[in-house]
Amino acid sequence: MSGTGHKRGRLSAILVMLALSVLGIACIPRLNIQYMPTSGGRDIIVSFSYPEASQEVVEADVTSLLEGTLSSLGGITQVSSVSRKGSGSITVRFQKGKDMDAARFEVASAIRNIYPSIPTGVSYPAVRLSSGRSSQRAISYILKSPLPSREIERYAREHLMSPLSALPDVDGAVLSGASPYHWVITFDATKARSSGISAQEIAESFMQCYSSDFLGMVRSPEGMLSVRLSGQARKDFGSIPIKKVGGQVIFLRDIASWRYEEALPSAYYRVNGLNTVTLDISTTESANLIRAVDAVKEEMGRLQVFMPEEITASVAYDASEYVRAELRKIYFRTLLCLLILLVFVFLVSRSWRYMFIVTSTLVVNILSALAIYALAGIQIHIYTLAGITVSLGIVIDTTIVMADHFRHWHNRRIISALFWATATTAGALLTTLLLPESERLNLTDFIWVIVINLTLSLLVAYFFVPSLMTYLPVSRSQGRQPVKRFRQKVKGRMLYRRYVAWGVKYRWLFVFALVLAFGIPRTFLSSSFGLFEKALDRSNFYRQPVRKQLIVRAGMLEGCTVHQLNEVIKSMENYLAGFNEIAVFTTSVSDYDNATIVVEFKPEYENSSFPSELKSQVTFMAANFGGANWRVYGIDDHSFNNNVVSDYKGSHIVLSGYNYQQLSNYARQLVDYLSRNARVREPEVWSGGSGGRPAMEYNMDYDFAALTVSGINPYRYYSELTSVLYNRPVGSVINEGASTEVVLRSSDLDVYDLWHVLHAPISVDSTQMTLASVGSIVKRRSGVDIRKVNQSYELDVCFDFIGGYNMQKSCMEDALDYMNNQILPIGFKAVNPDMAWGEAPRARYLWLILLIIGVVFVLLSMSLESIHFPLIILGMIPVSFIGVFLVFGLSDYAFDQGGFAAFVMLCGIVVNAGIYLVSMYQRLGGPEAPGCRQRIRLYEKAFGYKIVPIGLTILSTVLGLLPFLTDGPQEVFWFDFAIGTICGLAFSVVALVFVFPLFVVRPIWERRPR
């Protein structure tokens, strides 16, 4: 009965595992499959405009008021703000776990309560949730038709954009390429001046006539309704009253004319250099890109049925094609890894029954894990798929160890060693979650997938493997070994015993060799660590797996226009259009100094030599194109830049404090101090980092004494001059179903240049004057943006340093010491952000590795109930690191997060072999055996029992990583992870066989035998 009940329990275990597998199959449709990992945004951005207000006024009157109110909300970790000329923004970051919909409602409610206290003229603040990453362009359609572009745009807005934008996971639809039209009202400057009417009065009259102001909310039977005060909707501009002069009302038609005309675009966007109407569909960063694009294509196919014959739509860009290809490649790697491992298991066992047990165990593990992924909401992307593939080898390792033990001993006592081996690996991986969120984003799901699979493999190995082997027993080979092979085996054991006995006497030689091989930084520069430290100079730790792109940027000097830059950029587009190997190139011209062309290649040419050849040719063309500054980069680590006057400075010191005026004074003192150093060039105060350089602007400098003598008010003069040069938008009207901008322009605008501004007389209160007689126009830097982080102001002092790194570092340290110890009072500080973001991460990763080793030591001590054995096992970790140091130090591979993950993985898996060996050694009574020779004999016996399964587990782990090497070093994360782990395991095997027993059989404190 007991045997029957025992067997019935084994059958129950099999049925439970089958049920979990079925659950995993049912959960497959619930998996969130995408390409890159995403994280929910925790930032809410509040933005507003305050026309014509300076940075100081924006900060004092608006930003500080809003910032103080928002800082009182609960669950906030950081509040930062930027006050610009005419606008401002505040970023509120909430703690993890906060309901962001509720947070957004709280922010909106706080703004609604404080808005009446904000000065008149400030726009109602806009509130939006930042997703943490920008939305991604998913698919682009080119709309073609013989109709005018504005007709195509109007049809797309009315019939295409709304249904496409309403699709799930679609972030928005944007139309570009259509020629914009607007109303231009040109007033006669002479008539307006003779009537005493200023341009500002004309603008205010128009805005009052067509304004629509929000008054508030009222409750009605239909719910809450908004109340607005709206002006007229007619387009009879001539009937707008302007001013009553001499008892007569002056209407707009009396002093102005208007026309509907094509406007110059404020920005340009083109696909493949074509001036066509383009419809770009973007998806949220958390969306399943493939599923979202399929939904867009399906909806677009339905909409095309009802489109007029004159309009056609074709796909110009499809981001899902690259993602599909990458995912197919990952799936192939996973299947290849699985095939390699199963073939390896069969070649080792030569048993179909053993093969069936391993395969069944693997299937149960994978399907059960899928159920957990779906229920826990774990995203399936390139990193989780890499984690699944990596864990396949470890899952098979656990199965092999349990099956081998059960086949020899017919019990499950090995589960203790398996548990602690799994715990050390999981503990090492989970410790990396202590990294800052931005640095562990790509590793989080990767780690959790491996931990889940390891935990499941432990449960499956304990319940499922023995149950299967009860019904499908795998017998040990009973055949007699040939005498010659038996003798060789015995001779090998005797030689190994002699080696261990000799090595115990001369352990210091091995310790010295390992220390010399490992090395000390800046001491043994030719050692493995010294080589690795040099290799870190070419590392790209935060690189991401992205499609190969060539980036061409161009810009012009201040004073140029976006339209002039667009004409220059067209010449580069015409050149690129001649290459059939290019899949698509996208052009964006947003300002006079910011134009970008992004070139993507057809899949069959992406990994060929063509991208590098094209980069060389584009660089040659950029060097010969005049009229703009060019920068060419991408494809490789080299770049081209012919910008002589750069808006980038290589060094900067951040000053922070609670008082902005004092902080500005301290920043100027730092500029004076740095200017004394002959190697420091052009130190300046910027608003935020190396990209916050203030722009140039024209300033009017008045001679106030001359103005006083002339009896002229400078504000009245400026108002009269503004009327002459007036050219501003004054509102919008509904035209043909769409909102159309209206621009008010002076008739004298085209004839007034800088000379006329200085020398043409202006009538101010019946007095004629010229600017040249009472002042001048000077070009100087505008005010810097005001930035605050947690109520503390920040300013940057940026400069270029001529000299080496050590000299630059010394200069920075002297400047920081001068400011922090001699100048700045309490509440102010100066820091070097390059130090915070450069050397600090390396120290953080070093401490994290040490913490991981500490966690592994605690777990080993608990499992082995010893201090001696865990210390010996931990010694294998730095030995395995030598392999990683050498592979990156002796090659030109770029070290990235995959290399760091290899260090973490080695900390967890190289100790497993030591756990199995020491556990068997303890079970045989080795530590209590009298004399070193007896302990050597027992260790050799334990070694003989476990070396085969240990060797198989290490070999299976290496084989599981081989598919990640197929695409070479350019493969982000995976290649570094695979090559680092493989080389580390190889060195750990050497340590396990030749060094490990020397310290196991005789503790350090035991006296040397005579």
Side-chain angles (χ1 to χ4, degrees):
M1 288 294 295
S2 60
T4 304
H6 186 68
K7 200 167 186 178
R8 187 178 302 164
R10 298 287 173 87
L11 179 61
S12 300
I14 294 175
L15 293 177
V16 169
M17 293 300 170
L18 291 177
L20 289 176
S21 302
V22 173
L23 178 62
I25 295 174
C27 290
I28 290 177
R30 296 188 55 181
L31 294 174
N32 182 11
I33 302 176
Q34 50 196 18
Y35 182 57
M36 288 292 293
T38 60
S39 63
R42 293 185 286 113
D43 293 349
I44 290 181
I45 300 176
V46 178
S47 56
F48 59 89
S49 62
Y50 194 1
E52 305 301 325
S54 65
Q55 293 92 332
E56 291 81 3
V57 173
V58 170
E59 198 280 328
D61 293 351
V62 187
T63 306
S64 294
L65 191 62
L66 290 174
E67 210 172 3
T69 302
L70 297 177
S71 297
S72 62
L73 300 179
I76 290 179
T77 59
Q78 178 179 297
V79 178
S80 58
S81 66
V82 182
S83 299
R84 307 177 184 88
K85 184 175 181 179
S87 65
S89 63
I90 302 171
T91 302
V92 184
R93 175 164 297 176
F94 289 84
Q95 62 189 11
K96 193 173 183 179
K98 177 76 172 182
D99 185 347
M100 295 309 297
D101 291 332
R104 184 174 182 176
F105 177 78
E106 293 175 9
V107 171
S109 300
I111 291 175
R112 185 167 58 250
N113 294 332
I114 197 66
Y115 184 68
S117 304
I118 294 178
T120 304
V122 179
S123 66
Y124 193 86
V127 181
R128 66 181 179 89
L129 174 64
S130 174
S131 62
R133 288 183 179 178
S134 58
S135 60
Q136 51 187 338
R137 183 172 63 132
I139 187 170
S140 298
Y141 286 93
I142 291 180
L143 305 179
K144 298 179 181 179
S145 175
L147 299 174
S149 61
R150 65 176 183 273
E151 296 295 330
I152 305 175
E153 181 186 31
R154 184 172 65 176
Y155 178 86
R157 291 189 184 278
E158 294 176 355
H159 299 92
L160 301 181
M161 293 185 66
S162 295
L164 292 174
S165 299
L167 293 174
D169 295 329
V170 170
D171 187 59
V174 178
L175 275 171
S176 56
S179 300
Y181 278 74
H182 62 181
W183 285 100
V184 178
I185 300 176
T186 305
F187 67 90
D188 190 314
T190 303
K191 290 183 179 180
R193 193 162 43 245
S194 62
S195 301
I197 298 175
S198 66
Q200 187 62 33
E201 290 174 326
I202 301 175
E204 290 176 355
S205 298
F206 182 91
M207 288 186 285
Q208 289 175 2
C209 192
Y210 286 93
S211 65
S212 178
D213 297 330
F214 176 76
L215 300 181
M217 305 290 292
V218 297
R219 191 181 302 276
S220 70
E222 292 80 12
M224 296 296 294
L225 298 177
S226 61
V227 179
R228 290 183 175 274
L229 177 64
S230 298
Q232 66 185 28
R234 61 191 179 186
K235 287 180 291 187
D236 185 9
F237 299 150
S239 61
I240 298 176
I242 305 300
K243 189 177 182 179
K244 188 174 183 179
V245 179
Q248 181 182 359
V249 177
I250 304 297
F251 293 91
L252 186 61
R253 60 174 171 265
D254 299 326
I255 58 173
S257 61
W258 51 93
R259 64 185 182 275
Y260 186 64
E261 64 180 29
E262 184 176 350
L264 288 174
S266 59
Y268 295 88
Y269 177 82
R270 290 184 293 272
V271 177
N272 292 336
L274 301 176
N275 288 312
T276 55
V277 178
T278 305
L279 176 61
D280 286 327
I281 312 295
S282 59
T283 60
T284 59
E285 57 105 10
S286 60
N288 183 325
L289 182 62
I290 295 177
R291 189 182 304 163
V293 169
D294 289 342
V296 169
K297 288 182 176 180
E298 182 179 353
E299 180 65 16
M300 193 65 178
R302 187 187 66 82
L303 295 173
Q304 283 181 296
V305 176
F306 304 98
M307 288 175 62
E309 295 182 358
E310 298 87 2
I311 301 178
T312 59
S314 59
V315 176
Y317 173 80
D318 185 356
S320 68
E321 292 180 352
Y322 174 71
V323 175
R324 292 177 203 269
E326 288 296 304
L327 289 178
R328 283 195 297 267
K329 185 167 61 176
I330 296 170
Y331 296 149
F332 172 76
R333 282 188 191 145
T334 304
L335 293 175
L336 180 61
C337 172
L338 187 60
L339 179 62
I340 291 174
L341 291 173
L342 292 179
V343 171
F344 165 71
V345 170
F346 179 75
L347 292 176
V348 170
S349 64
R350 300 293 180 92
S351 170
W352 288 106
R353 183 173 293 184
Y354 190 84
M355 177 80 166
F356 175 78
I357 291 174
V358 174
T359 305
S360 301
T361 304
L362 198 59
V363 171
V364 169
N365 269 280
I366 294 174
L367 294 179
S368 302
L370 292 179
I372 297 178
Y373 304 157
L375 296 176
I378 295 178
Q379 301 171 351
I380 305 299
H381 47 74
I382 57 174
Y383 292 105
T384 49
L385 289 171
I388 293 172
T389 308
V390 168
S391 62
L392 292 178
I394 304 176
V395 169
I396 289 181
D397 296 346
T398 306
T399 304
I400 290 174
V401 172
M402 174 57 78
D404 183 79
H405 182 88
F406 191 82
R407 182 169 59 175
H408 281 79
W409 307 97
H410 300 288
N411 60 48
R412 294 183 287 191
R413 293 178 183 175
I414 192 65
I415 193 63
S416 176
L418 285 174
F419 171 78
W420 291 110
T422 302
T424 54
T425 305
L429 291 171
L430 290 175
T431 307
T432 58
L433 297 180
L434 298 175
L435 285 171
E437 184 178 2
S438 60
E439 298 181 24
R440 59 176 167 85
L441 175 62
N442 295 337
L443 297 175
T444 300
D445 291 333
F446 173 81
I447 291 168
W448 278 115
V449 161
I450 296 179
V451 170
I452 289 172
N453 289 356
L454 289 181
T455 305
L456 278 175
S457 70
L458 199 64
L459 296 174
V460 173
Y462 184 77
F463 292 104
F464 191 63
V465 173
S467 300
L468 274 182
M469 296 185 72
T470 300
Y471 288 93
L472 299 172
V474 180
S475 60
R476 297 176 60 184
S477 176
Q478 301 297 327
R480 296 182 59 183
Q481 294 185 8
V483 176
K484 184 177 180 181
R485 184 178 176 185
F486 179 77
R487 288 178 178 175
Q488 289 176 348
K489 190 174 182 181
V490 172
K491 186 177 180 180
R493 289 184 174 182
M494 293 299 297
L495 288 175
Y496 189 65
R497 287 184 192 176
R498 292 175 184 174
Y499 163 77
V500 174
W502 173 84
V504 167
K505 297 180 182 179
Y506 302 99
R507 287 185 300 185
W508 62 272
L509 288 175
F510 294 90
V511 174
F512 179 76
L514 290 176
V515 171
L516 191 64
F518 191 90
I520 302 174
R522 299 182 179 88
T523 302
F524 297 110
L525 292 180
S526 60
S527 64
S528 62
F529 192 92
L531 294 171
F532 177 71
E533 191 178 33
K534 289 182 178 180
L536 289 179
D537 296 335
R538 63 172 183 271
S539 66
N540 187 2
F541 191 77
Y542 298 105
R543 63 175 182 163
Q544 296 287 341
V546 295
R547 190 171 188 176
K548 187 174 289 186
Q549 294 177 334
L550 175 64
I551 312 295
V552 182
R553 298 181 64 91
M556 303 181 77
L557 299 179
E558 286 180 307
C560 299
T561 66
V562 65
H563 317 294
Q564 293 171 327
L565 180 58
N566 180 62
E567 292 301 317
V568 174
I569 209 73
K570 282 182 178 179
S571 58
M572 184 62 77
E573 287 180 316
N574 294 333
Y575 179 72
L576 293 173
F579 295 94
N580 295 324
E581 296 86 349
I582 295 176
V584 62
F585 61 91
T586 306
T587 305
S588 174
V589 187
S590 60
D591 209 341
Y592 73 91
D593 60 348
N594 187 13
T596 305
I597 303 177
V598 180
V599 182
E600 297 182 0
F601 306 93
K602 293 180 179 178
E604 58 268 28
Y605 299 105
E606 190 168 353
N607 294 319
S608 67
S609 61
F610 173 75
S612 298
E613 294 173 0
L614 178 65
K615 181 179 181 180
S616 300
Q617 297 179 37
V618 168
T619 300
F620 177 78
M621 296 298 294
N624 289 278
F625 280 150
N629 298 315
W630 295 88
R631 185 185 175 200
V632 182
Y633 61 97
I635 309 300
D636 51 37
D637 295 333
H638 304 289
S639 63
F640 165 79
N641 189 347
N642 67 349
N643 190 357
V644 178
V645 182
S646 175
D647 285 339
Y648 174 84
K649 290 185 180 293
S651 304
H652 62 291
I653 296 175
V654 179
L655 300 177
S656 60
Y658 59 88
N659 185 288
Y660 185 73
Q661 295 301 328
Q662 293 184 36
L663 190 67
S664 299
N665 294 332
Y666 294 137
R668 286 191 285 271
Q669 291 186 48
L670 179 57
V671 169
D672 294 338
Y673 177 81
L674 291 171
S675 299
R676 302 171 195 167
N677 192 324
R679 292 184 176 274
V680 174
R681 191 181 68 176
E682 298 180 358
E684 293 180 329
V685 179
W686 288 10
S687 61
S690 56
R693 185 178 190 176
M696 300 295 291
E697 64 180 9
Y698 286 103
N699 291 264
M700 289 185 178
D701 287 350
Y702 294 107
D703 184 344
F704 288 99
L707 285 173
T708 302
V709 171
S710 303
I712 296 175
N713 187 321
Y715 297 103
R716 287 282 299 135
Y717 170 76
Y718 183 75
S719 176
E720 293 295 334
L721 183 61
T722 301
S723 293
V724 175
L725 301 175
Y726 203 90
N727 183 28
R728 299 178 186 174
V730 293
S732 60
V733 296
I734 303 300
N735 184 57
E736 297 180 354
S739 178
T740 305
E741 185 182 64
V742 179
V743 176
L744 180 63
R745 184 177 296 168
S746 169
S747 62
D748 287 346
L749 179 66
D750 295 333
V751 298
Y752 254 75
D753 54 15
L754 183 59
W755 186 92
H756 283 86
V757 172
L758 284 169
H759 303 287
I762 296 291
S763 178
V764 182
D765 297 330
S766 302
T767 302
Q768 298 285 331
M769 66 158 286
T770 61
L771 178 60
S773 62
V774 294
S776 61
I777 295 180
V778 180
K779 189 177 182 180
R780 62 168 65 100
R781 294 283 179 197
S782 62
V784 298
D785 297 342
I786 300 177
R787 298 179 181 270
K788 278 197 296 185
V789 177
N790 290 334
Q791 303 296 316
S792 178
Y793 295 96
E794 288 188 353
L795 280 176
D796 284 17
V797 175
C798 302
F799 59 94
D800 287 321
F801 188 86
I802 304 173
Y805 171 76
N806 291 330
M807 298 178 65
Q808 178 187 9
K809 184 179 179 181
S810 176
C811 172
M812 298 282 281
E813 290 175 349
D814 291 343
L816 291 175
D817 179 73
Y818 168 75
M819 294 302 297
N820 288 323
N821 297 328
Q822 301 182 38
I823 302 298
L824 298 179
I826 297 176
F828 295 81
K829 66 178 180 179
V831 298
N832 177 9
D834 296 331
M835 185 72 68
W837 292 100
E839 297 183 5
R842 292 189 184 183
R844 182 162 57 242
Y845 293 129
L846 175 61
W847 282 110
L848 183 62
I849 292 294
L850 294 177
L851 177 61
I852 292 172
I853 294 176
V855 171
V856 172
F857 173 74
V858 172
L859 294 173
L860 290 175
S861 300
M862 294 170 61
S863 65
L864 301 176
E865 298 181 351
S866 167
I867 298 296
H868 167 63
F869 292 127
L871 289 175
I872 297 172
I873 294 175
L874 285 180
M876 297 177 62
I877 294 178
V879 175
S880 68
F881 285 178
I882 297 175
V884 186
F885 294 158
L886 290 177
V887 73
F888 287 103
L890 298 176
S891 67
D892 57 352
Y893 302 151
F895 185 80
D896 60 19
Q897 283 187 320
F900 173 72
F903 280 120
V904 175
M905 180 64 74
L906 289 172
C907 289
I909 63 176
V910 299
V911 299
N912 294 349
I915 294 175
Y916 299 145
L917 274 176
V918 171
S919 297
M920 179 57 66
Y921 180 64
Q922 289 177 327
R923 183 179 177 185
L924 296 175
E928 293 80 20
C932 186
R933 290 186 178 182
Q934 181 67 10
R935 289 198 293 268
I936 291 175
R937 187 183 67 82
L938 292 175
Y939 178 84
E940 183 273 325
K941 188 175 181 180
F943 186 83
Y945 280 132
K946 291 300 178 184
I947 191 59
V948 172
I950 287 174
L952 294 179
T953 57
I954 294 176
L955 188 56
S956 65
T957 303
V958 172
L959 292 175
L961 293 171
L962 289 180
F964 293 99
L965 304 178
T966 54
D967 290 321
Q970 69 272 11
E971 195 70 20
V972 178
F973 184 85
W974 299 333
F975 181 86
D976 282 7
F977 175 76
I979 196 69
T981 305
I982 290 173
C983 293
L985 284 174
F987 271 77
S988 72
V989 170
V990 175
L992 179 70
V993 175
F994 297 104
V995 182
F996 185 73
L998 310 183
F999 297 89
V1000 171
V1001 298
R1002 187 166 71 86
I1004 297 292
W1005 58 84
E1006 184 178 84
R1007 295 185 62 182
R1008 180 176 174 179
R1010 297 181 180 178

